[in-house]
Amino acid sequence: MLTRRIIPCLDVKAGRVVKGISFINHRDAGDPVALASAYNEAGADELVFYDITASSDERNIMVEVVERTARQVFIPLTVGGGLRTTDDMYRMLRAGADKVSINTAAVLNPQLITDGARRFGSQCIVLSIDARRMADSADDSPRWEVFTHTGGTPRSTGLEAISWAQRGVELGAGEIVINSMDSDGQQSGYDLELLRTMSRAVAVPLIASGGAGSPEDMYRGLAEGEADAVLAATIFHFGTYTIAQVKAYLAEQGVPVRQTV
Amino acid sequence: MITVINYGAGNLPNVVRAFEHLGAAIEVTDDAAVVSTASAVVLPGVGATRDTMESLAQLGMTEVLPQVIASGRPFLGICVGMQVLCGESEEFGLHPCLDVLAGTVRRLPGGQKVPHIGWNQLHYQEQTRDHPLFAEIPNQSEFYFVHSYYCDVADPSLVAGTTDYGMAFPAW
């Protein structure tokens, strides 16, 4: 049976992990390679690196980070952030990434999804979407708007999130990450309504992001939100819960997970 | 010496790194003449069967590979590198493949999320338990899958292991 995936996400700037990470004291907590290796040993099913650097010089550092990570870590690695062309994607894939994730660049240039899918296959192209509940949408039929540049000052796009995801899949995206801006950083659970609506609307796997504060939140994201995988940063980075604890909880609830430790 | 074929597949560096990690002696080549005399061959792969077949044809591999396999030398096809062994593929329109193995590459059944992405169990077939490839891999081990197509193999006795996703499909 296909297991549900637990995916830690690391924000990397100029080759260093930026969000404070405290779950491993005995290692260099800013080194993405050491952290990737630690998460691999802890039972992560996949890893995501978000490159939040701005300049192209720093982008070269990211290529090198991906290369060093791929030599040591044999779980799938997705790299996102700042990829604007299929050549940008190719550099990351060649360095050892298994998938690439695009967000703002896809909104600005949807053709990038198709070009990437044609060149590398749909399974390689992850469409990441940041969405916020529309203030004027009804409680019983909520709608969500897509925002870009969420690393800095979020910009409104006027795009409705569900139809944007459906278009992205038509264009060739093989997976969707949906990040709720309303829930992100709150640690009070994923936006389950957003997840469920999205999961039923697209035929590709859905990864939940934004808001997980406990194993129960992750369970609800998978069971009630109908997500295929859950992505989280804070809960793991600060050692609030280990991946093994989350997996043990999920297994108790009857969710299939890959047991590694 | 293990010969790994370089035809532009995206996962070539990862296959090379995996062999390096294991301490195996490998050579990477795009030369069909080198492949024709190789003692063991690995065909990596990511992507679609049509593009893969075109790339292999350009390098003259489509004639050499069936000969290498017929000679009994060890051959490992990974992902689309395995799928192109079939007679034909339905991906992006029906087209011929290497035809080493009678069968057709078909899309996974609908009514579920496709691509099939994530860790899933491998179930060995009775007849292949003693194959050296699986000597250190316990039955029901989990592997990471990421694909939309599978090999519909005509002779099930040739399948070493299957995985379930809406159906049992050949995974080895």
Side-chain angles (χ1 to χ4, degrees):
Chain A
M1 189 188 288
L2 178 64
T3 57
R4 304 296 181 102
R5 290 167 282 156
I6 312 297
I7 310 173
C9 169
L10 297 165
D11 286 346
V12 182
K13 185 173 190 181
R16 303 287 293 171
V17 175
V18 290
K19 270 181 199 162
I21 296 195
S22 55
F23 83 108
I24 44 166
N25 297 321
H26 60 291
R27 298 193 213 204
D28 178 354
D31 177 13
V33 183
L35 285 165
S37 188
Y39 275 129
N40 177 32
E41 285 161 27
D45 295 311
E46 228 176 285
L47 284 171
V48 174
F49 279 170
Y50 275 125
D51 186 4
I52 58 169
T53 55
S55 76
S56 53
D57 286 356
E58 291 178 339
R59 198 80 63 211
N60 290 331
I61 300 172
M62 190 62 180
V63 171
E64 194 247 338
V65 165
V66 171
E67 208 154 59
R68 283 195 293 131
T69 304
R71 281 185 198 288
Q72 293 183 28
V73 178
F74 294 100
I75 54 173
L77 174 65
T78 302
V79 178
L83 306 174
R84 293 185 184 86
T85 65
T86 60
D87 284 344
D88 290 344
M89 296 174 177
Y90 182 72
R91 289 174 71 205
M92 291 304 175
L93 296 170
R94 206 70 191 169
D98 297 280
K99 303 184 231 176
V100 289
S101 161
I102 50 176
N103 187 329
T104 299
V107 173
L108 299 177
N109 172 26
Q111 180 67 26
L112 181 61
I113 302 172
T114 305
D115 292 346
R118 286 224 180 109
R119 189 162 166 191
F120 311 114
S122 284
Q123 84 292 333
C124 235
I125 309 299
V126 182
L127 176 62
S128 179
I129 300 172
D130 291 307
R132 183 183 282 169
R133 252 171 215 257
M134 293 181 186
D136 59 353
S137 71
D139 281 351
D140 57 349
S141 60
R143 287 159 56 82
W144 296 266
E145 185 184 353
V146 178
F147 282 75
T148 60
H149 302 87
T150 48
T153 310
R155 290 185 208 170
S156 155
T157 64
L159 289 169
E160 188 273 314
I162 305 296
S163 53
W164 168 235
Q166 288 174 322
R167 178 149 176 247
V169 171
E170 275 167 30
L171 290 170
E175 217 169 15
I176 301 284
V177 174
I178 182 74
N179 180 52
S180 162
M181 296 166 66
D182 303 297
S183 310
D184 196 15
Q186 303 294 313
Q187 297 200 52
S188 55
Y190 298 106
D191 183 333
L192 299 175
E193 222 167 353
L194 171 58
L195 288 181
R196 194 165 45 240
T197 310
M198 185 64 87
S199 188
R200 290 177 182 182
V202 295
V204 301
L206 178 70
I207 302 173
S209 167
S214 68
E216 193 189 349
D217 289 341
M218 294 190 163
Y219 169 70
R220 295 185 71 188
L222 297 166
E224 295 169 38
E226 300 175 16
D228 300 278
V230 285
L231 185 140
T234 319
I235 177 176
F236 295 133
H237 295 344
F238 290 101
T240 322
Y241 293 95
T242 64
I243 292 168
Q245 284 173 320
V246 171
K247 285 193 170 179
Y249 180 82
L250 292 175
E252 266 171 39
Q253 307 302 315
V255 176
V257 288
R258 183 180 71 120
Q259 295 295 354
T260 54
V261 282
Chain B
M1 176 73 79
I2 298 168
T3 302
V4 182
I5 300 178
N6 175 17
Y7 61 94
N11 72 335
L12 175 69
N14 280 344
V15 170
V16 170
R17 275 187 279 264
F19 279 115
E20 283 171 353
H21 183 76
L22 295 167
I26 57 162
E27 64 174 348
V28 176
T29 186
D30 61 1
D31 186 343
V34 172
V35 173
S36 70
T37 59
S39 52
V41 175
V42 174
L43 182 62
V46 165
T49 49
R50 188 182 281 276
D51 287 353
T52 302
M53 283 303 295
E54 280 171 12
S55 302
L56 291 174
Q58 277 169 15
L59 295 172
M61 299 289 177
T62 43
E63 291 89 48
V64 168
L65 283 172
Q67 290 165 13
V68 168
I69 294 165
S71 74
R73 282 172 278 171
F75 171 89
L76 179 65
I78 302 170
C79 196
V80 76
M82 175 179 90
Q83 293 182 350
V84 291
L85 298 180
C86 285
E88 58 191 7
S89 167
E90 292 181 344
E91 190 175 10
F92 296 121
L94 193 68
H95 56 278
C97 292
L98 293 173
D99 201 19
V100 171
L101 191 60
T104 304
V105 180
R106 301 187 197 281
R107 193 171 165 85
L108 286 165
Q112 59 185 350
K113 298 291 180 77
V114 177
H116 169 217
I117 300 183
W119 297 86
N120 202 337
Q121 291 90 21
L122 174 75
H123 312 294
Y124 287 165
Q125 304 285 86
E126 204 55 53
Q127 69 267 20
T128 47
R129 287 278 166 81
D130 53 355
H131 192 288
L133 193 58
F134 315 116
E136 294 178 40
I137 303 173
N139 198 11
Q140 320 297 344
S141 287
E142 278 151 340
F143 286 83
Y144 192 89
F145 290 84
V146 48
H147 65 121
S148 302
Y149 286 77
Y150 72 98
C151 297
D152 185 3
V153 178
D155 178 359
S157 75
L158 296 175
V159 176
T162 63
T163 292
D164 296 326
Y165 193 65
M167 61 176 295
F169 68 86
W172 280 103

